[in-house]
Amino acid sequence: MGLGILEDRKLEHVPGTAHVLGDSTRASEEQATTRNPNLKYDPTGKILLVPQPSDDPNDPLNWPLWKRDFIVFILSLLSVIAATLSPLLAADTVSLAIYFRRTLTDMALLTGYHLLGVGLAGFLFVPSARIWGKRHLYLLGTVFLVFSSAWGGANGRNYKSLLWARIFQGIGLAPFEALVNASVGDLYHVHQRGVRMALSNLSLFGGAFFTPVLVGKIADTMGYEWTFYFVAIFSAVMLPLVIFFVPETSYRREERFDIDTMGNLIEIPKIGAHELHGTSSSAMVHELDAPHGGPHELHNTSLGMTSQEVMAPKRDAHELHATSSGPTSQETGRAGSGEAEKSERHFYSTQAHAPAHTIPAKATWKQSLMPFNGRKTDEQYLHLLLRPFPLFFHPGILWACLIQGTLIGWTVMIGVVLAGVMLGPPLWFGELETGYMYTGAFIGALLGFAISGLISDWSAKLLTRWNGGVYEPEFRMILVLPQLILGCVGLYGFGWTAADAEKYGWFWPDFFFALEVMGMVCGAVASALYIVDAHRDMSVEGFTCLLVFKNLLSFGLTFKGFDWIVSGQIWPVFRAIASVQVGVCMLTLPMYIFGKKNRSYFYRHNVFFKITDWVADKLTFW
């Protein structure tokens, strides 16, 4: 058991687990040995690069770090602009209800249908991203942001026109909400993702909370139409940056380089030190006692591949699945030290005499401007479209949906009911004052980003060191602890103080709103990092589930938010909500303990994709 995580006995290497840092024994051995040239490390030489970059100069992992950071900066900046759309009308709820002569629930549905557009569009866009990459969707999303925002500002006091503009704004937001986190996974190694993932989540959530502060002032002085026009203007300014400086981040990498997901680590039994001379123990060649055989029995990989197969080009997914159950009959027949030593020599001979692969030419800048640069998978669109559906029953994905989606839903609910809560006596807030109430939420998002950025990579490295150099994706769940403390205290506190505004005024509800948002950001980063690190082979489908879950939940809450507050009163409603969130956070404990077994089981028995692929085959039999 590694730091409370139950070990798996079925696979020698569970996808997601990575030997990143060398322990003291391994480090001392390295001083007397030569590093294996087949594996690559960071510039310090201490951290193995996971996943391994290929030799292709077009592999995003081989791009200069400044270039990758600039791409993430552009996408994050555009995410800030796109994320302003969801709470764009939060501060204007009451005034717009009067302007359009509609109920407060009708005004809330302008946000609800917008979120529904995000969820449905993301569901349709993600398979396209898997097949043709993400660049064309970033371009399409930016164009949608421009024209739909201009349309929203020029609605001519027509509620239905504004409603459809909001839906199309949701379509424009969808690529950034669904794919930016996945792009971070494309561009960085495991040890580099924490801060960047926190930045991308801050862009999506922090910008959303600063929006109402500006919107309240703009609507009060210039009219609500200009809140739409400004989004259109800034999106139009960002479009050239996306066109010229955001190339395709998806890359069709051979599976032998995905040492964190495909389980293709070379593991050999414990042998004498003289036999290891000339090899690097930290080069992912580890000494392990054979679990079911003599001490000299050779265990190649968790996929049961031969040494030639490990370094072979990428194979069909069905071939890989067929080998995942364990060693072949030929391999299980090997026994005795002579055979083991022969196999070991053969492996190193294979490495030394492997045929040289032709390195592709580096793509020119003009070629990088194309919206498409080839298929990223041979899978069919319908197969990929259906795959997220059953993943809601995958324990790891369901956990991530609950950790991120519920607290985001409660945040949307606070935004929907805030104007109604502060409208009456004794505060009598208008759109300007209601907008200023989001200052606390914005500060909370910044602090949540700071906490996530400081804790995520640091805690993962610390726990990896304590675990003898073995990294487990469950280490990312540490971020749920600040979510539990800050997010749940924020929900309880907001409900208690907002219910008695005469006694507590505006400051304490705003303070607890900030705490709730801090917890929300921590949970969002934790769930995103876990999906990327633990299930990167299906991370896009996982992020689709996150997108659909949180937006459909938020859509439902816009229908019922005002009714709950009117019928149940503020404190009872938020007390129940906060208690639900405590229960959701507590699910992290069993997920942490059984996470590795869960990853192993569903890697060996991928029943989810088998079901949807069977349905897709029946629908596309021709």
Side-chain angles (χ1 to χ4, degrees), residues 343-355:
S343 299
E344 181 191 345
R345 288 195 300 271
H346 179 68
F347 166 69
Y348 289 115
S349 174
T350 303
Q351 306 307 301
H353 300 91

Side-chain angles (χ1 to χ4, degrees), residues 26-65:
R26 198 174 294 130
S28 64
E29 289 176 357
E30 285 185 3
Q31 294 177 359
T33 58
T34 304
R35 195 175 293 276
N36 190 329
N38 291 322
L39 295 162
K40 300 176 183 178
Y41 294 73
D42 77 329
T44 68
K46 297 179 180 179
I47 301 177
L48 184 74
L49 298 180
V50 180
Q52 287 279 285
S54 66
D55 295 325
D56 186 353
N58 302 304
D59 185 344
L61 294 177
N62 288 324
W63 295 346
L65 186 60

Side-chain angles (χ1 to χ4, degrees), residues 539-562:
S539 62
V540 176
E541 288 89 353
F543 284 122
T544 304
C545 293
L546 289 182
L547 179 76
V548 172
F549 180 86
K550 66 187 179 184
N551 283 290
L552 289 183
L553 176 62
S554 300
F555 173 64
L557 291 175
T558 59
F559 269 105
K560 292 296 183 180
F562 281 115

Side-chain angles (χ1 to χ4, degrees), residues 560-575:
K560 292 296 183 180
F562 281 115
D563 293 339
W564 286 354
I565 295 298
V566 171
S567 61
Q569 302 302 312
I570 299 173
W571 168 235
V573 169
F574 276 91
R575 182 177 59 201

Side-chain angles (χ1 to χ4, degrees), residues 411-434:
T411 307
V412 170
M413 182 174 173
I414 291 176
V416 167
V417 304
L418 190 62
V421 170
M422 301 299 170
L423 173 65
L427 298 177
W428 300 107
F429 273 13
E431 57 192 17
L432 182 62
E433 293 82 5
T434 303

Side-chain angles (χ1 to χ4, degrees), residues 202 205-207 209-211 213 438-447 514 517:
L202 173 71
F205 302 125
F209 295 118
F210 189 60
T211 300
V213 179
Y438 280 84
T439 304
F442 177 65
I443 294 174
L446 292 178
L447 294 176
V517 172

Side-chain angles (χ1 to χ4, degrees), residues 311-380:
M311 300 304 293
K314 185 173 182 178
R315 298 180 298 160
D316 183 80
H318 295 292
E319 296 179 63
L320 284 172
H321 182 74
T323 63
S324 64
S325 59
T328 63
S329 58
Q330 293 176 334
E331 290 171 321
T332 54
R334 297 174 185 159
S337 59
E339 278 303 310
E341 291 171 3
K342 179 180 178 181
S343 299
E344 181 191 345
R345 288 195 300 271
H346 179 68
F347 166 69
Y348 289 115
S349 174
T350 303
Q351 306 307 301
H353 300 91
H357 295 283
T358 302
I359 299 177
K362 184 177 181 179
T364 65
W365 181 67
K366 184 177 180 180
Q367 290 174 325
S368 71
L369 299 181
M370 300 299 293
F372 302 95
N373 64 357
R375 290 180 67 98
K376 309 304 175 186
T377 179
D378 294 327
E379 299 280 2
Q380 298 180 31

